[in-house]
Every structure is written in C-alpha cells, then in structure tokens.
C-alpha cells in the first residue's frame, strides 16, 4: 500500500518542465512512427528506382529499415526526457541493442533462402539447386551478421 502511495505522490509532484519534456518525447515518438514509413520507402527508392510504391512495402528490407528509423526516433525521445544517468544509460543500451539487432536482421534478410540475391545465384548455375546448401549458407550469414554487429558495438563503446 505504501508503494502505491509513493507512486501517486510522485505523479502529483511532477514539475511543469518535466511534463513538457514528456509531451515532447511522445510527439517525437509519434512523428518517428509517421515518418519511418516514408523514410524506409525513400531509402528503398534510392536503390531501386524502378520499383512502385506497392512493391516497395513488400520489399524484404522495408520492415527492417522502418524499424531502424523508429528506434532512432525512440532514442531521440529518450535524449529529450532528461532521465537520471543510470536510467538513461540503461535505456540507451537497450536501444543500441535493438538497433544492432535490426541491422543484423536487415543483413540477414539480404541472404535469406528466398531472397533475390540467392535466387540469382541459383539461376546462374553457380550453386546446384540443393536447398540444404542454401539454407546452411543463409544461417551462417545470419549468425555472421549478428556477430559482426555485436563486435562492432563492443569495440566502439570500449574505446
């Protein structure tokens, strides 16, 4: 019961500046949700000029790129909140991990067994139509991309 009273007490004593920071953070998250689709479409259009808008949303990288832009928006919202240092570091670490995971999944989507790259390699007869080899290469590529993103983040933060 005392914990509930403490929570109610802290909510009632929030300063006006703090409320303004929370509102700005929520607006940033909402804007990043709205803009992430556009930025993901724009990013794919830069590399695929002949694709139409309907096909862009079906592109395997669309959801990953959209997620990356959304996570960047959440990161900016966390910066605005002026959290205590320990909470800020925790949130920053969680967002970094999620961004690394999204980047790794984006790389993994490029080498999935049903991706365009693998289909072109199969069609060029450089690899037999044995799906086992393609699946093993795909799994290896996914593990390699996650590992390389993790190593990159580890060395970047330790310097």
């Amino acid at each position: 019961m005392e914990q509930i009273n403490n929570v109610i007490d802290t909510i009632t004593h929030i300063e006006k500046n703090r409320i303004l920071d929370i509102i700005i953070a929520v607006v940033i998250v909402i804007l990043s949700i709205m803009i992430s689709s556009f930025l993901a479409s724009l990013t794919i259009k830069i590399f695929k000029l002949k694709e139409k808008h309907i096909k862009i949303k079906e592109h395997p990288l669309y959801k990953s790129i959209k997620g990356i832009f959304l996570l960047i928006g959440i990161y900016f919202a966390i910066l605005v909140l002026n959290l205590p240092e320990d909470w800020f570091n925790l949130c920053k670490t969680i967002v970094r991990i999620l961004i690394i995971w999204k980047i790794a999944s984006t790389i993994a989507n490029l080498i999935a067994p049903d991706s365009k790259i693998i289909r072109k390699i199969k069609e060029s007869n450089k690899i037999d139509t044995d799906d086992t080899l393609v699946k093993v290469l795909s799994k290896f590529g996914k593990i390699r991309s996650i590992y390389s993103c993790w190593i990159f983040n580890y060395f970047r933060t330790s310097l």
Side-chain angles (χ1 to χ4, degrees):
M1 187 67 176
E2 187 176 319
Q3 291 174 348
I4 295 173
N5 288 334
N6 287 340
V7 170
I8 292 173
D9 194 38
T10 31
I11 290 174
T12 56
H13 294 327
I14 294 178
E15 298 175 5
K16 289 182 181 180
N17 292 338
R18 190 76 176 145
I19 293 173
L20 185 62
D21 289 343
I22 292 171
I23 291 172
I24 290 171
V26 168
V27 168
I28 289 173
V29 170
I30 291 171
L31 284 176
S32 69
I33 289 170
M34 293 169 42
I35 295 175
S36 63
S37 296
F38 171 73
L39 292 175
S41 298
L42 186 66
T43 305
I44 292 174
K45 279 183 184 179
I46 288 173
F47 297 109
K48 302 272 187 178
L49 295 175
K50 297 178 184 178
E51 299 271 338
K52 293 186 178 178
H53 186 68
I54 297 170
K55 288 187 177 181
I56 287 176
K57 291 198 174 196
E58 296 171 0
H59 198 277
L61 298 178
Y62 175 78
K63 288 183 182 177
S64 298
I65 294 172
K66 182 179 173 182
I68 290 170
F69 284 121
L70 179 63
L71 287 170
I72 290 171
I74 291 171
Y75 181 75
F76 286 138
I78 291 171
L79 288 175
V80 168
L81 282 177
N82 294 324
L83 296 173
E85 189 172 343
D86 54 343
W87 280 95
F88 174 73
N89 289 334
L90 176 69
C91 292
K92 189 170 72 170
T93 303
I94 291 171
V95 169
R96 278 185 181 171
I97 289 169
L98 290 173
I99 288 174
I100 289 170
W101 178 71
K102 272 298 188 185
I103 290 171
S105 70
T106 302
I107 294 169
N109 284 339
L110 288 174
I111 53 176
D114 59 341
S115 69
K116 198 172 191 178
I117 294 171
I118 299 297
R119 274 188 269 134
K120 284 188 177 184
I121 291 173
K122 279 183 179 179
E123 290 171 1
S124 69
N125 294 328
K126 291 183 180 177
I127 295 179
D128 292 336
T129 57
D130 184 19
D131 287 337
T132 308
L133 177 63
V134 173
K135 288 179 182 176
V136 167
L137 287 175
S138 174
K139 297 275 187 204
F140 176 74
K142 288 178 184 180
I143 292 169
R144 177 76 177 148
S145 63
I146 291 170
Y147 178 72
S148 60
C149 287
W150 178 79
I151 291 293
F152 171 75
N153 188 50
Y154 176 76
F155 285 115
R156 188 180 62 80
T157 56
S158 65
L159 295 176

